[in-house]
Amino acid sequence: MSGSPSSHFGGFKRASNLPSLFVRASTEPLKTRLKNGEKLKGMLLFSASPTLAEIASLAGYDFVVVDLEHGPADFSAALACIGATEVCGGKTVIRLPEISAACAKKALDLGPDGIMFPKVETGKAAAEAVSFCSYPPHGVRGCAYTLVRDSKFGFNKRYLEDYRDNRLIMCQIESEEGVKNVNKIVAVDEMDCVMIGPRDLSASLGLLHDPGNKKVKSAMRTEEMAVLDSDLVNVGAYLAGMATDYDKAVNLKACGYHLVLGSADVSLFKKVVVDDIKTFKLL
């Protein structure tokens, strides 16, 4: 209402004196927003904290990635993070611990907006990952759709018609072998997005302690161009990346990335507490 001292935000009231960047998150699926040409920024949720997931969404991040590959989270923790994020209109992507039908099934049944498969190295692996995300005849996903959260426990009567259109499928290329096969990976039908993993890529090139090395940057550029050029031949994979000391989030956005992961939650917290204690000690 015009002139009202507060407005509703995901069920909560927002005071009128909050920063202008504090806006209602889009209710559109990530996949739809990408199709509309939006550039999206996310946060890697390493801690599996529902509180931090909610804060990130309220702050304006377009999505959070719940990390089941490296972080302490299990599927129950991921569910709590999804619920906390959805309360304020946010979106979640689950990064799986491995490429497997069992992991994909359990993650998808929770109802995230997207799913990320780590260390995809071949077109065959990408095709298998995609098949894990759809029910027969389109894929091999196990069928419990009347019982799981993804279908609102069966209350969503259009679920089987809509679920493939609303789910973002991401494949992470983070090895020398993956870069060699990037064109085959990008060509896989329904593989929506390629996420570049710069640190694992540097390790696979024998440069673990030198992720800014020219050889690493060259491999990343090969991957970037393959994904961005896919738009020109109507394959249309989206390019995603992680901000590092060598590639800031704003630089990735300027280079054409469609999704950018900023710092992880623990990295952000670490920086704040270190700065806080330094300020105190110097007084």
Side-chain angles (χ1 to χ4, degrees):
M1 181 181 297
S2 176
S4 174
S6 65
S7 60
H8 285 88
F9 181 92
F12 298 100
K13 288 189 175 183
R14 175 175 68 86
S16 59
N17 62 350
L18 285 176
S20 60
L21 287 178
F22 190 81
V23 296
R24 176 183 286 273
S26 172
T27 59
E28 294 287 346
L30 296 178
K31 195 169 179 177
T32 300
R33 296 180 65 188
L34 288 168
K35 288 180 179 178
N36 292 337
E38 292 189 56
K39 298 291 183 72
L40 308 178
K41 186 174 184 182
M43 185 183 76
L44 184 65
L45 192 73
F46 188 88
S47 68
S49 166
T51 298
L52 293 184
E54 188 173 359
I55 290 171
S57 298
L58 288 169
Y61 281 94
D62 297 301
F63 63 99
V64 295
V65 176
V66 184
D67 189 7
L68 272 60
E69 182 186 14
H70 292 295
D74 56 16
F75 291 103
S76 294
L79 175 59
C81 293
I82 292 171
T85 303
E86 288 183 353
V87 163
C88 46
K91 303 294 183 182
T92 51
V93 172
I94 294 180
R95 179 161 73 170
L96 299 179
E98 61 185 13
I99 306 172
S100 78
C103 286
K105 176 172 56 179
K106 290 181 73 68
L108 291 167
D109 285 351
L110 301 180
D113 208 54
I115 184 169
M116 186 191 305
F117 293 89
K119 204 173 184 180
V120 177
E121 297 189 306
T122 65
K124 179 181 178 181
E128 287 180 345
V130 168
S131 75
F132 299 157
C133 299
S134 292
Y135 301 111
H138 305 290
V140 297
R141 180 179 173 186
C143 301
Y145 52 83
T146 60
L147 305 174
V148 298
R149 189 176 186 276
D150 197 33
S151 68
K152 307 301 182 190
F153 307 102
F155 287 108
N156 180 1
K157 301 305 180 183
R158 287 196 50 83
Y159 173 71
L160 290 179
E161 288 76 24
D162 295 339
Y163 79 95
R164 293 169 70 209
D165 294 330
N166 295 333
R167 179 70 34 69
L168 186 71
I169 301 174
M170 307 174 70
C171 285
Q172 192 165 10
I173 299 180
E174 47 188 340
S175 69
E176 186 176 16
E177 185 68 17
V179 174
K180 289 179 181 178
N181 293 310
V182 61
N183 288 309
K184 293 179 180 179
I185 294 171
V186 170
V188 172
D189 189 33
E190 295 190 40
M191 197 291 299
D192 301 307
C193 180
V194 167
M195 167 68 76
I196 296 179
R199 297 196 182 280
D200 280 297
L201 177 57
S202 67
S204 78
L205 293 169
L207 297 162
L208 175 62
H209 298 294
D210 192 12
N213 188 282
K214 290 182 179 179
K215 188 176 180 181
V216 179
K217 303 296 285 186
S218 177
M220 289 180 62
R221 297 297 170 256
T222 297
E223 193 174 342
E224 290 167 357
M225 294 310 300
V227 179
L228 292 174
D229 286 349
S230 71
D231 290 334
L232 303 178
V233 292
N234 296 320
V235 176
Y238 299 107
L239 179 62
M242 298 182 179
T244 66
D245 292 338
Y246 309 97
D247 289 293
K248 304 296 185 183
V250 291
N251 295 332
L252 294 178
K253 180 180 179 181
C255 287
Y257 279 70
H258 304 93
L259 299 92
V260 177
L261 277 181
S263 295
D265 54 348
V266 292
S267 296
L268 289 168
F269 182 72
K270 176 183 175 183
K271 182 180 185 305
V272 170
V273 295
V274 168
D275 290 345
D276 183 52
I277 196 64
K278 280 183 177 179
T279 300
F280 179 80
K281 296 292 186 180
L282 290 174
L283 289 177

